[in-house]
Amino acid sequence: MGAWGAGLYSSDFALDLRSDFRAVTRLPFDGEKLIELLCSFEPGAANRPDDEDHATFWLVAADQFAKGGIPCERARQKALQIIDDGTDIAMLARLGMDPAGLGKRRKMLAALREELVAAPRPAKPRSVIQRPQPLLMDIGDVFVYPTSLGRAKQYCPASVRVIPPWQQDGWSAAVILSAERAFDFLAWYRPLTLASARGEEPDFARLRQAGPWVLRSPGTCKPADIKRLGLKKVGTVPVDGEKLKRVFPALPSGVSAAIGDRSIGPELNAGSTVGESFLYAGKLERTPEGRAILQERIKAALETYERIRAAREASGPLTTRRNPTIPGLDEILG
């Protein structure tokens, strides 16, 4: 705990919550509805006083509402209560924060209290979603897409070199198992993909007999993602909801992915990305000396990747926990 520091945003939880707050405020709701959504997203921290992040949740929420000029009386009153009754200081003391750190924390809380009881700031203009995001995919949609060493093509700035470079050498396929909206606005999807890439473009008629298939985590998808990833819809299959529940009884919600706008792209990888490197080449490419250094780094990164790949192949099948797998689509199709 001591490593978190005394600042309001010194902990990973506080930083993550701030990011979640900024994402949630894209929704066209007032402060009371927004705090309700945040509470549903972090129910333990929001509702359990014995949770070590309980005080931080309400303090960060109140601070963010105040900074954004978004009225939220529930968050403001809860934060003032936590400051006045010493809940935050008591928890940090139990978790091991030293006296010096607690002193700094008290000063921060005093400043925050002044902010919360002061006249509200003018509301800042918010760029909000005016209508629910369209669902670009439906349950049962089947897509094929190109791969390079099993990797789907991810977004990468022009100034960054991916090592090994992305050069199509195969194909994979995905079936969409979930297509929903978080809070009725933010679209998210859950793919089931082939466990490994193929040398030739998969044929829709034969995919039902293909396998194995791997359940992936949810992600978001925009038209630009579809274009970049090369997703090509080749058909639709009848996913049986009851079969799906039996085969995959635990299907976590995609709300987190929707709020964080985590792209579906990385979930479409059909192979390991261990050893992949990203070299920032922008400045190096401007001079002959820099270009020489860049080539040396590319060579070293390729050699490192090849060593890792060889070791991975020599070790045989992975023994670590993987995503759930089914042998074929008949396990979930009607």
Side-chain angles (χ1 to χ4, degrees):
M1 165 59 75
W4 285 12
L8 182 55
Y9 296 96
S10 296
S11 72
D12 290 339
F13 176 80
L15 292 173
D16 289 343
L17 184 62
R18 181 172 64 182
S19 296
D20 293 340
F21 178 89
R22 291 172 177 172
V24 166
T25 53
R26 292 184 292 149
L27 299 170
F29 303 138
D30 63 19
E32 301 304 323
K33 178 62 175 179
L34 293 175
I35 192 61
E36 180 183 329
L37 295 180
L38 284 171
C39 288
S40 70
F41 189 52
E42 293 286 354
N47 302 319
R48 291 177 48 196
D50 61 335
D51 189 298
E52 66 182 53
D53 291 317
H54 178 71
T56 298
F57 176 91
W58 289 103
L59 295 172
V60 167
D63 181 59
Q64 288 295 303
F65 279 118
K67 283 182 167 61
I70 304 173
C72 182
E73 191 62 16
R74 180 184 176 190
R76 191 180 79 91
Q77 289 295 337
K78 185 68 174 177
L80 288 173
Q81 176 189 341
I82 286 170
I83 294 171
D84 292 342
D85 66 17
T87 297
D88 180 59
I89 295 297
M91 176 59 76
L92 293 176
R94 284 199 298 273
L95 293 171
M97 181 172 281
D98 60 32
L102 294 175
K104 293 178 181 179
R105 185 78 172 186
R106 288 189 181 94
K107 290 181 179 180
M108 180 277 294
L109 292 176
L112 177 58
R113 193 183 195 289
E114 289 184 9
E115 174 76 15
L116 296 179
V117 299
R121 295 186 186 186
K124 294 181 179 179
R126 275 201 291 156
S127 177
V128 299
I129 299 172
Q130 298 298 328
R131 58 184 63 86
Q133 292 177 343
L135 291 175
L136 304 178
M137 307 173 179
D138 292 319
I139 294 175
D141 282 354
V142 181
F143 294 87
V144 297
Y145 53 94
T147 60
S148 171
L149 298 172
R151 301 167 297 168
K153 191 171 186 179
Q154 310 300 327
Y155 167 76
C156 192
S159 60
V160 175
R161 297 286 189 90
V162 181
I163 307 300
W166 198 94
Q167 297 176 333
Q168 183 183 357
D169 59 9
W171 292 84
S172 191
V175 179
I176 303 303
L177 300 185
S178 302
E180 303 181 27
R181 292 188 184 95
F183 314 126
D184 298 322
F185 272 89
L186 305 176
W188 63 270
Y189 311 89
R190 185 194 316 278
L192 180 79
T193 74
L194 286 171
S196 59
R198 304 293 196 264
E200 297 181 355
E201 182 175 344
D203 178 77
F204 174 71
R206 298 179 181 176
L207 281 174
R208 189 156 182 158
Q209 285 72 47
W213 295 80
V214 181
L215 179 68
R216 306 293 185 178
S217 297
T220 61
C221 190
K222 298 179 175 61
D225 297 321
I226 291 177
K227 182 178 180 180
R228 182 188 70 256
L229 292 163
L231 292 174
K232 180 169 67 173
K233 182 178 175 180
V234 294
T236 303
V237 293
V239 176
D240 186 307
E242 293 302 317
K243 283 187 177 182
L244 185 64
K245 290 179 182 178
R246 287 197 297 269
V247 175
F248 301 122
L251 288 175
S253 169
V255 170
S256 176
I259 288 179
D261 196 18
R262 295 198 300 270
S263 172
I264 199 175
E267 299 301 326
L268 300 183
N269 289 330
S272 174
T273 59
V274 175
E276 185 179 58
S277 300
F278 298 88
L279 302 180
Y280 295 89
K283 291 183 179 180
L284 293 175
E285 290 180 324
R286 296 173 187 170
T287 65
E289 296 81 2
R291 288 192 288 272
I293 293 172
L294 177 60
Q295 290 305 312
E296 292 176 0
R297 292 181 180 177
I298 290 174
K299 180 181 178 181
L302 283 170
E303 291 173 350
T304 298
Y305 175 81
E306 287 301 322
R307 286 197 301 270
I308 292 173
R309 182 188 61 78
R312 187 168 58 237
E313 291 181 353
S315 65
L318 295 174
T319 57
T320 55
R321 180 180 63 84
R322 297 192 239 175
N323 290 349
T325 302
I326 56 175
L329 292 181
D330 284 341
E331 298 281 322
I332 61 168
L333 300 186

